[in-house]
């Protein structure tokens, strides 16, 4: 039985029944998260979050997990970076080991993957090369490849020369980079930056290979970002983003408009707001040719109340959207002070302007990335600011450092949706025992769901719209007041 706690408005919290579904809520500097009952405690939790979101300055950080949505074992959205990296690196490893990467056009023969008795200290499968040699690959790598269609044409498959180039640079696709495709891109971008500065002709071939590998990673990402269940008519992810923005724009008009920062490259945010008719500023201005202009983040949208007296009022539904890692809809241009355009639908993946993680020695210090990160920093370090993260695993050091800087501001509050027992940065945040840090995660309200997944956050934790509250009230009346009286049946 839990003790009464005035944090819940003086309401006594009852004990959690056996077999009841619970989620974890870490706050107020507690060493361990509290177990919260989905039926009894969700209203109080939602109210606490709603009050936090009434702060003067509100910002959301949406990571890759927000665009990934699993249904019956299939991702109807866009996979996160870990499975993407696993797929790309597995394809490259198996293709090269089989000797099919030389021309880049041969099909991958799955029957070349053979299972032998592994050494006592290793687990996995051997793969046999053309020369008869066998190399042990991890089960994850082989599983990823063998689940792909055998006859699939793979335009991003690496050639032997490209794989050898990575090996010469010390890039092992089966160690580290097969879990984070952004890290691979960061290394490739950095190496290209160095080679471009070199006047040594012996480096030109390596530069060509690096450019080719980058183009193949872009082609791979392009296919996953633009072709999926969402392109074939499945609207679940898009609808989820729409419900998110419907709730987000309920903010009091006397408060500054909310900011949404995202590390995602997809266009779910823009599509959702366009369909809802919600105006937003995303750093681009223009109609026919939309070009990047960071000054647009200083703009506000107002409606004229009285033409004669020139009275204006801020439009309620307005959002600032800042895509920290670029977008599949961005492309480089050769015109203007900021030579970046927003074009959709994009037609050439090679022109897609994305930058996974900011390597400080190259393009991340130039526009637009410097402008975007500057906005992120300037927004969350303001007085009375709240940052809510969803689908973000704290894998970007640059972003993390800005968040940690914000924690030096006494009035800053951080709400993290993640499993509290997650290793790495989440554990570090938890060990701070900072009452300004909330961490919410664990099991979801139904079997197979998770409290820190985006769909659960939107449906259960974000403030309810007035219509939602009315619908809930009607449901309770029907279920409780109009149900047959048990005493009358006796």
């Amino acid at each position: 039985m839990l003790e009464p706690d005035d944090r819940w408005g003086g309401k006594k919290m009852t004990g959690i029944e056996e077999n009841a579904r619970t989620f974890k809520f870490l706050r107020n500097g507690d060493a361990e998260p509290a177990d919260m009952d989905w039926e009894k405690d969700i209203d109080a939790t939602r109210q606490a979050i709603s009050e936090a979101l009434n702060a003067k300055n509100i910002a959301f950080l949406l990571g890759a997990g927000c665009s990934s949505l699993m249904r019956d074992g299939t991702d109807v959205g866009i996979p996160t970076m870990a499975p993407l990296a696993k797929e790309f690196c597995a394809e490259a490893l198996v293709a090269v080991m089989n000797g099919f990467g030389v021309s880049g056009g041969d099909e991958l023969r799955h029957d070349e993957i053979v299972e032998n008795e592994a050494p006592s200290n290793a687990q996995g499968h051997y793969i046999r090369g053309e020369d008869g040699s066998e190399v042990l690959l991890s089960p994850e790598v082989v599983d990823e490849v063998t689940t792909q269609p055998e006859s699939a044409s793979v335009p991003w498959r690496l050639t032997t020369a490209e794989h050898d180039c990575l090996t010469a640079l010390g890039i092992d696709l089966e160690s580290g980079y097969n879990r984070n495709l952004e890290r691979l891109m960061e290394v490739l971008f950095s190496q290209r930056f160095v080679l471009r500065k070199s006047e040594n002709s012996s480096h030109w071939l390596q530069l060509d290979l690096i450019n080719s590998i980058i183009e193949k990673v872009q082609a791979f990402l392009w296919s996953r970002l633009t072709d999926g269940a969402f392109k074939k008519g499945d609207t679940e992810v898009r609808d989820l983003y729409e419900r998110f923005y419907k709730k987000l724009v309920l903010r009091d008009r006397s408060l500054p408009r909310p900011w949404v920062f995202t590390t995602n490259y997809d266009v779910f945010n823009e599509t959702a707001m366009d369909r809802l008719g919600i105006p937003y500023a995303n750093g681009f201005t223009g109609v026919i040719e939309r070009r990047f202009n960071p000054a647009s983040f200083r703009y506000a949208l107002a409606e004229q109340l009285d033409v004669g007296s020139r009275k204006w009022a801020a439009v309620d539904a307005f959002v600032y959207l800042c895509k920290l890692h670029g977008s599949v809809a961005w492309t480089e241009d050769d015109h203007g002070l900021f030579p970046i355009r927003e074009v959709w639908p994009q037609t050439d993946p090679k022109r897609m302007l994305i930058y996974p993680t900011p390597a400080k020695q190259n393009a991340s210090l130039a526009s637009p990335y410097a402008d975007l990160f500057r906005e992120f920093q300037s927004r969350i370090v303001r007085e009375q600011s709240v940052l809510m993260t969803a689908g973000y695993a704290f894998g970007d050091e640059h972003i993390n450092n800005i968040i940690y800087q914000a924690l030096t501001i006494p009035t800053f509050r951080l709400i993290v949706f993640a499993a509290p027992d997650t290793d790495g940065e989440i554990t570090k945040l938890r060990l701070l025992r900072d009452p300004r840090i909330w961490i919410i995660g664990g099991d979801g309200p139904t079997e197979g769901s998770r409290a820190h997944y985006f769909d659960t956050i939107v449906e259960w934790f974000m403030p309810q719209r007035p219509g939602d509250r009315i619908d809930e009230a009607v449901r309770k009346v029907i279920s409780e007041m109009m149900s047959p009286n048990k005493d009358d049946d006796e």
Side-chain angles (χ1 to χ4, degrees):
M1 182 74 69
L2 298 177
E3 296 298 326
D5 194 328
D6 58 7
R7 289 175 292 175
W8 304 96
K11 180 180 178 181
K12 181 181 178 65
M13 293 178 60
T14 59
I16 297 176
E17 298 178 2
E18 187 177 0
N19 298 325
R21 295 195 65 82
T22 64
F23 61 93
K24 304 287 186 180
F25 191 0
L26 179 72
R27 70 174 192 167
N28 292 333
D30 295 337
E32 298 293 333
D35 287 323
M36 313 299 292
D37 188 289
W38 271 106
E39 292 186 2
K40 299 177 181 178
D41 303 325
I42 184 59
D43 288 337
T45 303
R46 186 191 299 117
Q47 180 61 32
I49 294 174
S50 178
E51 292 173 359
L53 294 182
N54 282 327
K56 182 177 180 181
N57 298 294
I58 293 298
F60 288 78
L61 176 59
L62 307 183
C66 293
S67 295
S68 173
L69 183 63
M70 301 300 295
R71 286 290 179 264
D72 300 323
T74 301
D75 201 329
V76 297
I78 299 171
T80 58
M81 271 297 157
L84 286 176
K86 179 181 176 183
E87 180 184 356
F88 179 85
C89 293
E91 174 65 40
L93 281 167
V94 176
V96 171
M97 287 307 304
N98 273 314
F100 298 132
V102 178
S103 65
D106 296 318
E107 302 298 343
L108 177 63
R109 293 208 314 250
H110 289 224
D111 58 359
E112 288 296 322
I113 301 175
V114 295
E115 184 174 5
N116 288 343
E117 183 178 353
S120 59
N121 62 344
Q123 293 182 350
H125 292 67
Y126 285 102
I127 184 167
R128 181 182 298 124
E130 285 187 326
D131 59 356
S133 62
E134 294 176 350
V135 177
L136 181 69
L137 295 181
S138 64
E140 292 80 7
V141 169
V142 176
D143 288 344
E144 182 62 36
V145 175
T146 54
T147 57
Q148 304 301 317
E150 294 189 22
S151 59
S153 177
V154 186
W156 53 81
R157 182 179 301 161
L158 297 184
T159 66
T160 301
E162 291 165 348
H163 184 268
D164 291 344
C165 177
L166 294 179
T167 302
L169 294 173
I171 300 176
D172 184 356
L173 294 181
E174 200 185 354
S175 177
Y177 298 104
N178 66 337
R179 294 187 295 273
N180 193 330
L181 199 58
E182 291 185 337
R183 296 303 178 201
L184 175 61
M185 286 287 282
E186 180 181 276
V187 172
L188 294 174
F189 273 60
S190 301
Q191 186 66 24
R192 183 171 69 175
F193 176 81
V194 173
L195 293 175
R196 280 178 172 176
K197 299 295 183 181
S198 175
E199 297 181 358
N200 189 336
S201 60
S202 63
H203 293 160
W204 295 349
L205 176 59
Q206 190 179 40
L207 176 59
D208 290 341
L209 291 171
I210 292 295
N211 282 328
S212 178
I213 298 171
I214 289 175
E215 289 178 1
K216 288 184 176 180
V217 176
Q218 288 178 314
F220 171 72
L221 288 175
W222 173 266
S223 71
R224 297 298 177 262
L225 290 168
T226 61
D227 188 11
F230 52 90
K231 184 180 179 180
K232 300 176 177 64
D234 192 297
T235 64
E236 283 192 86
V237 179
R238 187 195 71 196
D239 295 344
L240 180 58
Y241 272 89
E242 288 187 23
R243 293 195 295 273
F244 167 74
Y245 281 104
K246 282 181 180 178
K247 294 186 175 184
L248 180 61
V249 296
L250 294 175
R251 187 166 169 79
D252 190 292
R253 70 188 310 168
S254 65
L255 296 172
R257 297 300 91 198
W259 281 72
V260 175
F261 298 92
T262 179
T263 59
N264 296 341
Y265 316 129
D266 58 68
V267 292
F268 283 127
N269 288 280
E270 297 93 327
T271 302
M273 286 188 282
D274 284 347
R275 289 178 59 84
L276 294 172
I278 297 175
Y280 59 93
N282 68 343
F284 289 80
T285 58
V287 178
I288 303 301
E289 291 193 3
R290 290 184 54 78
R291 298 185 181 278
F292 183 70
N293 180 6
S296 64
F297 285 127
R298 309 275 77 78
Y299 299 165
L301 189 65
E303 57 182 338
Q304 192 169 8
L305 301 178
D306 187 337
V307 177
S309 60
R310 295 180 61 82
K311 292 183 179 180
W312 303 81
V315 172
D316 290 344
F318 188 73
V319 176
Y320 293 94
L321 174 65
C322 188
K323 306 182 80 169
L324 296 172
H325 284 175
S327 173
V328 69
W330 297 3
T331 183
E332 292 181 298
D333 195 53
D334 57 359
H335 176 74
L337 182 61
F338 301 98
I340 300 166
R341 291 179 58 190
E342 184 180 44
V343 180
W344 191 256
Q346 182 75 268
T347 57
D348 186 359
K350 295 180 182 179
R351 297 178 61 84
M352 177 176 60
L353 189 60
I354 61 173
Y355 195 79
T357 55
K360 299 177 178 59
Q361 65 268 34
N362 50 49
S364 66
L365 295 182
S367 184
Y369 302 103
D371 303 288
L372 301 175
F373 278 94
R374 188 182 302 115
E375 291 296 337
F376 180 57
Q377 183 176 35
S378 67
R379 291 295 157 183
I380 69 173
V381 299
R382 300 189 178 194
E383 291 291 329
Q384 301 181 43
S385 293
V386 172
L387 175 65
M388 178 183 292
T389 72
Y392 177 66
F394 284 77
D396 189 316
E397 183 179 354
H398 199 66
I399 293 178
N400 295 346
N401 288 338
I402 295 175
I403 295 175
Y404 301 156
Q405 291 173 21
L407 284 170
T408 65
I409 308 298
T411 57
F412 176 73
R413 179 175 295 175
L414 177 63
I415 302 176
V416 178
F417 280 94
D421 58 353
T422 304
D423 294 333
E425 299 302 313
I426 302 298
T427 296
K428 293 180 182 178
L429 289 172
R430 175 179 172 177
L431 294 177
L432 289 175
R433 300 190 66 173
D434 189 326
R436 299 170 301 160
I437 300 175
W438 295 2
I439 303 178
I440 303 173
D443 291 333
T446 59
E447 189 69 30
S449 64
R450 300 289 283 168
H452 49 279
Y453 285 0
F454 192 45
D455 54 347
T456 306
I457 297 171
V458 172
E459 299 299 336
W460 292 85
F461 290 110
M462 289 192 67
Q464 288 184 310
R465 300 169 61 243
D468 295 336
R469 290 194 290 269
I470 293 175
D471 291 342
E472 178 65 16
V474 171
R475 186 193 65 79
K476 286 186 176 181
V477 168
I478 294 175
S479 63
E480 298 179 12
M481 304 300 293
M482 300 181 65
S483 60
N485 193 314
K486 292 184 178 180
D487 294 336
D488 295 341
D489 296 338
E490 295 179 353

